[in-house]
Amino acid sequence: MVAVVEWEIANSVPHLTKHACQVWLANIRDLQSWHIRLLNAEEKERVQSFRKGQDRARFMIGCVLSRFVLAAQLNMAPHEVPIDRTCSACRKAHGRPQLPDRSLQWSISHSGERVLVAFTAGIPVGVDIEWMDDSHALDVRQMANEVLAEEEKYHVLQASPQEQKRAFYTYWTRKEAILKATGKGLQISPLHVIVSAPHQTPRLLYLKDDPDCLNRATMYPLEIDNGYVASLALLDKASQKIERYDSGRLLREGFGWKDEYNK
């Protein structure tokens, strides 16, 4: 069992300082009909491309939450935030979201009914969340062979059968968070990223072709509940304050923007 950490229910969007990382936790059940009006044309088109309602909801929550928090930092309306998702490889609008000047950085992850968005004042950041779906039989050994180094597989397979799935997903989210923070994403196989064992403090031990990253990366566990595993990575060795916020009230009430968009 993992202890549940209370996420602060914010009454406003706090100012994002250079020594802090804000992590906002959302539930897709807080999606509102008026949220669609916050999205730009490309985001609306992307919403329509999803065949499953849950996929549409997860994507929309990530967009809306990003726009609310960024708008508060930039002092502008949420729908006016100039988010660019142009993929550097194919030039289509499905790349990592960013601002033109990259003054603020953020990372989005979703799984099951949960969405996480992490924000910094310019520090490269990556976040990853995974739902341990009990209705789905995960072949831990097969998955471990595909994404874990030998020493990592050892720690997973030495765990009790009840803990193997959590151990695997702990490794997985730590690797994904690092790859998102570096911006490398799918360009590097998870086999080429080695992180500390699940029972140890999160730490990057090896990243292929980027030894300097070991000197910059800091990692944090994000405790949600026993059905999810999540990790955060920052490419900055300076001490960072990790602020955890529950976005339910923000998504439902809009903190002053609901009436504007709910017309």
Side-chain angles (χ1 to χ4, degrees):
M1 300 289 284
V2 174
V4 177
V5 174
E6 292 294 330
W7 292 59
E8 181 180 348
I9 299 176
N11 295 313
S12 62
V13 177
H15 174 65
L16 180 60
T17 70
K18 64 179 182 179
H19 296 301
C21 173
Q22 290 185 12
V23 187
W24 291 76
L25 174 64
N27 192 308
I28 62 173
R29 287 176 290 181
D30 288 321
L31 183 67
Q32 308 294 307
S33 60
W34 51 271
H35 283 167
I36 191 69
R37 296 185 177 91
L38 278 71
L39 276 55
N40 63 24
E42 290 178 340
E43 291 166 340
K44 291 176 182 176
E45 183 177 352
R46 182 84 179 274
V47 168
Q48 296 305 315
S49 71
F50 292 107
R51 297 167 62 181
K52 296 182 179 179
Q54 194 172 63
D55 291 334
R56 288 194 295 271
R58 285 191 288 248
F59 177 74
M60 283 187 64
I61 287 290
C63 291
V64 171
L65 190 48
S66 297
R67 288 186 170 280
F68 273 137
V69 176
L70 293 171
Q73 311 306 322
L74 299 171
N75 194 28
M76 62 174 57
H79 73 277
E80 295 177 339
V81 176
I83 295 175
D84 181 17
R85 287 184 171 80
T86 303
C87 174
S88 59
C90 69
R91 310 309 297 174
K92 293 184 179 179
H94 59 204
R96 180 187 179 101
Q98 60 187 11
L99 297 175
D101 63 1
R102 302 193 181 187
S103 57
L104 302 173
Q105 296 203 29
W106 71 103
S107 177
I108 305 171
S109 183
H110 43 69
S111 185
E113 293 189 338
R114 299 288 194 164
V115 179
L116 280 177
V117 188
F119 301 86
T120 69
I123 297 171
V125 58
V127 69
D128 193 64
I129 183 172
E130 296 294 336
W131 176 38
M132 299 186 295
D133 184 1
D134 289 334
S135 66
H136 175 67
L138 177 71
D139 188 334
V140 174
R141 186 176 294 274
Q142 178 183 341
M143 291 296 294
N145 285 333
E146 295 177 2
V147 302
L148 300 185
E150 289 300 319
E151 58 266 45
E152 295 172 332
K153 285 192 289 185
Y154 172 81
H155 286 294
V156 169
L157 299 179
Q158 285 294 110
S160 67
Q162 296 81 10
E163 287 299 314
Q164 283 186 359
K165 182 184 288 189
R166 178 171 289 278
F168 171 78
Y169 278 125
T170 299
Y171 271 127
W172 177 262
T173 59
R174 289 179 182 181
K175 288 170 180 261
E176 283 292 298
I178 282 289
L179 290 175
K180 288 182 177 182
T182 62
K184 299 179 186 296
L186 297 177
Q187 299 174 37
I188 292 185
S189 166
L191 288 169
H192 297 148
V193 184
I194 299 177
V195 294
S196 56
H199 64 280
Q200 297 174 337
T201 300
R203 189 160 55 94
L204 176 65
L205 303 177
Y206 171 79
L207 178 61
K208 184 179 180 181
D209 298 330
D210 194 354
D212 181 60
C213 192
L214 274 65
N215 299 320
R216 297 183 293 132
T218 52
M219 305 182 69
Y220 305 85
L222 296 173
E223 298 85 358
I224 299 173
D225 60 43
N226 290 305
Y228 292 85
V229 177
S231 298
L232 173 72
L234 299 171
L235 298 190
D236 192 305
K237 271 302 183 183
S239 178
Q240 300 294 324
K241 179 182 179 183
I242 309 302
E243 302 173 353
R244 298 168 171 84
Y245 299 108
D246 183 316
S247 67
R249 187 171 181 183
L250 169 60
L251 292 169
R252 293 189 299 269
E253 300 179 7
F255 293 172
W257 289 106
K258 181 178 179 179
D259 292 341
E260 178 70 22
Y261 294 106
N262 191 23
K263 294 179 179 179

